[in-house]
Amino acid sequence: MSTNTDFLLAIEDLTVSFDGFKAVDSLTMYIDKNELRVIIGPNGAGKTTLLDLICGKTKASSGSIQFKNQEITKLVEHQITRVGIGRKFQTPSIYENLTVYQNLEVSYSEGRSVFGSLFFKSTPKLEAMIEEVASDIQLTEFLETQAGVLSHGQKQWLEIGMLLMQEPELLMLDEPVAGMSAKERDETAELLNRLCKNRSVIVIEHDMEFVKKIARKVTVLHQGKILAEGAMEKVQADEKVIEVYLGH
Amino acid sequence: MMNFFIERFLGGKQGAVAIALLALLILVIFPLALDLFRLNLVGKYLTFAFAAVGLVLLWGYGGILSLGQGVFFGLGGYAMAMFLKLEASDPQSTAIQTTPGIPDFMDWNRLYELPWFWVPFESFAFTLLAILVLPALFAYIIGVAMFKRRVGGVYFAIITQVIAVILTVLIVGQQGFTGGINGITDLRTLNGWDIRTDSAKYILYFINALLLLAVIMISRFVLTSKLGRLLLAMKDKEDRVRFSGYDVSNFKIFIFCLSAVISAIGGAMFTLQVGFMSPSLLGVVPSIEMVIFAAVGGRMSLIGVVYGTLLINFGKTGFSETFPELWLFFMGGLFIAVVMFFPNGLAGIYNKYVSKLAFLQRYLPAIKLPKSKADTQSNASSSASTSDNAAEGAKS
Ligand SMILES: Nc1ncnc2c1ncn2[C@@H]1O[C@H](COP(=O)(O)OP(=O)(O)O)[C@@H](O)[C@H]1O
Ligand SMILES: [Mg+2]
């Protein structure tokens, strides 16, 4: 449908219906290179489902998703990851039995085939990357700690770190500060602001204070459709938005 | 180089000690302490340990329970038995048959020529290859059919069980081609070398023991690779692995094939040492027994399962001499008890109690508690002590 564009991600007319219920309904949305986009919306608006559609967890009923002008709705999960899309889940999804180091190592983008991983050897490049990521997510001191004993906030960060190891061009984070303390939220906001320097980031968030700290452009989702889109101040002033979401 | 070998093939210093102790037991102590009859019996038990080692890879680390490992044990065993049977059925020895030169049971079942699928087993090279390739191929087909469709868990366990039933029925039913319920018996020589003599039994015992140690080391290499960590990761959060860019099904297929090949090597060595192969070794009961060996020994422990296998088989032999009809109940009860109270089996008990002192010395200074103490589960770190792997204590 669309011709070549400069957008990193182009979602057009995307619909998914669960037994007739349209969780995402003819949605069209574009993400630029190096953009940080925040998606907000009330519970059940379809935010998580939208990320599920992009990363291949859920198959679209109709519509198109193009990443760097490549149609990805027909790809399966690991292929979508390999073209450069990383996704953080709403609840921290890390490997509790492995150490922080191993969690990061396993997420690295080389040695992804069976025999590639069997004969995979750590390289100085990998070591350096793990160190860099660990320092980004403030887990340098915990590299040898079993991930299962980390605090909730640290687990959230670890998962972000695991995504960074994949070197994605598009990073999607589903409620990354849920369950975090105020201090951890501030630090996460800083982290995200740093992260979007050389990649695009989509963040789903509820916490408006947090959103204000990171948001440049906000998309408000409601009942699977876009209700408003634009700068934070503009969206906050939008009457429809106030009615369904902010004004409660 | 030496360090690499110790770390990757032996599992570090602790692993090296454990494997050295096992080697001492099966290569020195048993041969010195036991008469040939008992030693041969232990050799038979150790062939089952191959299947249990395979289950550590597949079930312990991969989280995939197969109730059909006997199938692969049987494939290896039958491949070897077919070769030996053909060698034992030369035209001179079978001169009194209607059709001399074919196995006796074929003659009894009125077959007049060797079935086509038996012919390649006249070659020893083909047979050795078949022992490794046939189970891998069969596991690959099952693996692709199941794992690509994301069939797993209980469904996979049931399907492998069903395959074990089907194969048993097939072998029993096709007497003329397979030897039926009696299996393939009366095996004599291997390339002219009489495998029934005392010296042959000793040699075969040692070959078997060395092969088992080699298989454990290769398995250790797999488990200490990135692939080993990926298996643990998949067991914990399969979706996360998928969304990190891995084709999860390929890893499951690989580990299933590997466990099948290992099991088959055990089967082939069974045939050589015991001198026959029959459906009673590959059906439902032996397949479940293999799982019990692994569970009792500790399904996360490559070495623990060897002890588990030995212990249960000694028990079985002793027990069933006195109360044959109670054995199955006893083993079932033991299995339930282990699963409920000692999820990591003998290896878990060893690591929990016996190596406690070593654990304290080694790990106390190394434990770093995370800043936020509120939601740490300090007991989880105790599992990092195991000789086998950091994930030993995984409750999965
Ligand atoms: N797999 C599914 N099957 C049926 N309904 C679903 C499924 N996934 C999501 N939904 C429904 O779609 C709607 C949107 O859910 P979700 O995307 O999780 O919302 P949120 O914006 O809170 O993340 C909800 O009403 C949810 O119940
Ligand atoms: Mg959600």
Side-chain angles (χ1 to χ4, degrees):
Chain A
M1 187 178 355
S2 70
T3 48
N4 276 9
T5 63
D6 284 339
F7 297 117
L8 183 73
L9 186 75
I11 301 170
E12 288 176 343
D13 224 8
L14 187 68
T15 300
V16 66
S17 107
F18 300 118
D19 302 323
F21 167 73
K22 288 178 175 169
V24 168
D25 191 358
S26 328
L27 184 121
T28 296
M29 184 172 139
Y30 301 95
I31 307 285
D32 278 323
K33 291 202 172 78
N34 297 341
E35 177 180 355
L36 192 160
R37 173 75 62 94
V38 178
I39 300 178
I40 60 175
N43 264 331
K47 307 182 295 294
T48 298
T49 306
L50 176 61
L51 295 198
D52 286 348
L53 287 165
I54 298 171
C55 75
K57 192 163 188 246
T58 304
K59 290 285 158 220
S61 308
S62 65
S64 109
I65 306 173
Q66 294 198 331
F67 181 73
K68 296 197 287 184
N69 297 312
Q70 181 194 356
E71 183 64 44
I72 60 169
T73 39
K74 297 286 175 293
L75 302 183
V76 297
E77 296 97 324
H78 69 269
Q79 294 168 324
I80 294 177
T81 305
R82 288 178 188 188
V83 299
I85 299 180
R87 192 253 169 100
K88 193 198 161 307
F89 292 93
Q90 199 160 343
T91 48
S93 182
I94 56 163
Y95 314 123
E96 312 249 332
N97 301 325
L98 300 182
T99 64
V100 170
Y101 183 95
Q102 291 171 332
N103 267 276
L104 294 174
E105 183 209 22
V106 158
S107 310
Y108 184 51
S109 56
E110 280 175 28
R112 273 173 175 166
S113 68
V114 167
F115 291 100
S117 69
L118 187 57
F119 298 107
F120 181 78
K121 278 205 197 77
S122 185
T123 57
K125 181 175 169 247
L126 171 61
E127 298 287 331
M129 193 167 167
I130 289 182
E131 250 169 55
E132 188 192 322
V133 168
S135 109
D136 261 340
I137 56 174
Q138 304 186 31
L139 290 176
T140 306
E141 292 160 54
F142 300 95
L143 280 174
E144 294 309 316
T145 307
Q146 273 210 328
V149 306
L150 295 175
S151 74
H152 181 78
Q154 286 173 320
K155 287 181 184 172
Q156 299 273 40
W157 282 339
L158 176 56
E159 196 181 355
I160 295 176
M162 289 159 70
L163 293 176
L164 294 179
M165 292 301 295
Q166 294 169 211
E167 306 186 280
E169 285 174 71
L170 173 65
L171 194 60
M172 306 192 293
L173 308 170
D174 201 347
E175 305 198 17
V177 297
M180 281 190 182
S181 68
K183 180 165 168 289
E184 286 172 326
R185 281 166 193 247
D186 287 346
E187 287 168 346
T188 308
E190 257 172 56
L191 175 63
L192 292 190
N193 282 323
R194 259 182 289 141
L195 289 185
C196 64
K197 293 263 154 52
N198 43 13
R199 60 176 67 76
S200 305
V201 182
I202 299 178
V203 183
I204 290 180
E205 198 40 74
H206 267 305
D207 179 59
M208 293 315 288
E209 286 307 308
F210 179 76
V211 172
K212 278 180 204 152
K213 285 198 189 84
I214 57 167
R216 280 133 239 200
K217 192 169 173 188
V218 178
T219 298
V220 185
L221 222 57
H222 181 51
Q223 293 176 351
K225 290 187 154 105
I226 292 182
L227 194 65
E229 195 166 79
M232 185 67 188
E233 307 81 54
K234 190 187 129 211
V235 164
Q236 267 183 309
D238 190 303
E239 295 213 340
K240 283 180 298 182
V241 176
I242 294 172
E243 192 181 322
V244 303
Y245 184 58
L246 298 168
H248 57 195
Chain B
M1 195 56 222
M2 196 59 205
N3 257 340
F4 178 82
F5 181 78
I6 292 178
E7 284 302 321
R8 299 292 311 277
F9 284 90
L10 302 181
K13 284 209 186 70
Q14 273 184 308
V17 171
I19 203 164
L21 286 176
L22 179 67
L24 183 72
L25 180 71
I26 63 176
L27 291 177
V28 181
I29 297 179
F30 281 155
L32 288 179
L34 302 176
D35 59 45
L36 183 58
F37 174 76
R38 297 269 159 197
L39 189 69
N40 186 243
L41 214 53
V42 170
K44 180 174 94 175
Y45 301 161
L46 289 178
T47 65
F48 299 133
F50 283 84
V53 168
L55 277 165
V56 172
L57 301 177
L58 182 66
W59 182 35
Y61 280 75
I64 303 161
L65 176 59
S66 160
L67 293 177
Q69 290 307 91
V71 166
F72 305 113
F73 188 87
L75 282 178
Y78 267 95
M80 183 58 88
M82 285 162 83
F83 172 78
L84 297 174
K85 189 66 187 172
L86 287 180
E87 198 177 308
S89 311
D90 62 287
Q92 288 84 358
S93 336
T94 52
I96 55 159
Q97 291 178 184
T98 317
T99 314
I102 63 172
D104 47 13
F105 61 82
M106 291 183 187
D107 200 59
W108 303 333
N109 284 281
R110 301 204 188 107
L111 261 60
Y112 300 110
E113 64 178 352
L114 199 60
W116 60 269
F117 64 90
W118 272 75
V119 176
F121 288 92
E122 285 173 345
S123 150
F124 188 53
F126 176 88
T127 303
L128 288 185
L129 206 66
I131 289 167
L132 302 177
V133 174
L134 278 184
L137 199 67
F138 193 41
Y140 181 81
I141 293 167
I142 300 170
V144 168
M146 300 286 113
F147 299 134
K148 288 283 175 196
R149 288 187 200 141
R150 302 200 182 162
V151 175
V154 179
Y155 297 101
F156 183 78
I158 292 172
I159 284 163
T160 48
Q161 178 94 98
V162 169
I163 291 170
V165 174
I166 292 173
L167 196 69
T168 313
V169 170
L170 215 63
I171 289 177
V172 172
Q174 297 299 315
Q175 223 181 68
F177 297 114
T178 62
I181 189 104
N182 297 322
I184 301 180
T185 56
D186 201 12
L187 308 174
R188 296 167 197 168
T189 55
L190 174 82
N191 287 329
W193 177 51
D194 194 330
I195 57 171
R196 294 162 302 178
T197 62
D198 286 0
S199 71
K201 283 190 171 154
Y202 270 112
I203 291 171
L204 287 171
Y205 172 86
F206 280 107
I207 292 176
N208 182 51
L210 288 171
L211 272 176
L212 180 62
L213 293 171
V215 159
I216 289 174
M217 287 194 259
I218 291 168
S219 303
R220 178 77 68 204
F221 173 79
V222 172
L223 293 181
T224 53
S225 71
K226 181 177 174 182
L227 191 147
R229 293 187 282 287
L230 276 168
L231 290 178
L232 287 175
M234 276 163 37
K235 192 165 93 165
D236 190 3
K237 301 263 164 35
E238 188 171 317
D239 257 350
R240 180 70 271 167
V241 179
R242 203 168 267 138
F243 289 108
S244 295
Y246 296 96
D247 189 345
V248 165
S249 56
N250 285 347
F251 290 84
K252 294 185 172 178
I253 293 168
F254 170 78
I255 208 69
F256 186 43
C257 290
L258 183 60
S259 78
V261 172
I262 292 175
S263 194
I265 297 173
M269 288 312 296
F270 178 98
T271 302
L272 280 173
Q273 291 185 92
V274 186
F276 76 94
M277 182 39 63
S278 83
S280 65
L281 290 151
L282 56 80
V284 171
V285 174
S287 293
I288 290 177
E289 278 181 339
M290 288 163 187
V291 171
I292 296 178
F293 302 156
V296 170
R299 63 189 166 119
M300 302 297 293
S301 173
L302 291 170
I303 293 178
V305 295
V306 179
Y307 293 110
T309 308
L310 286 174
L311 199 74
I312 297 213
N313 279 290
F314 280 130
K316 181 177 179 175
T317 307
F319 212 94
S320 46
E321 273 163 15
T322 16
F323 316 100
E325 62 288 348
L326 287 181
W327 169 247
L328 273 180
F329 292 99
F330 175 74
M331 199 164 61
L334 185 70
F335 178 60
I336 292 167
V338 164
V339 168
M340 286 183 64
F341 302 113
F342 303 104
N344 290 307
L346 289 175
I349 296 172
Y350 175 83
N351 286 316
K352 196 164 174 196
Y353 301 105
V354 185
S355 66
K356 196 130 210 170
L357 286 173
F359 153 68
L360 285 177
Q361 284 163 5
R362 266 195 64 183
Y363 284 89
L364 261 190
I367 292 178
K368 297 178 200 133
L369 281 180
K371 273 178 271 177
S372 137
K373 293 181 188 72
D375 47 357
T376 55
Q377 323 145 340
S378 58
N379 58 340
S381 62
S382 69
S383 58
S385 69
T386 64
S387 64
D388 242 55
N389 187 284
E392 175 84 52
K395 282 154 202 94
S396 90

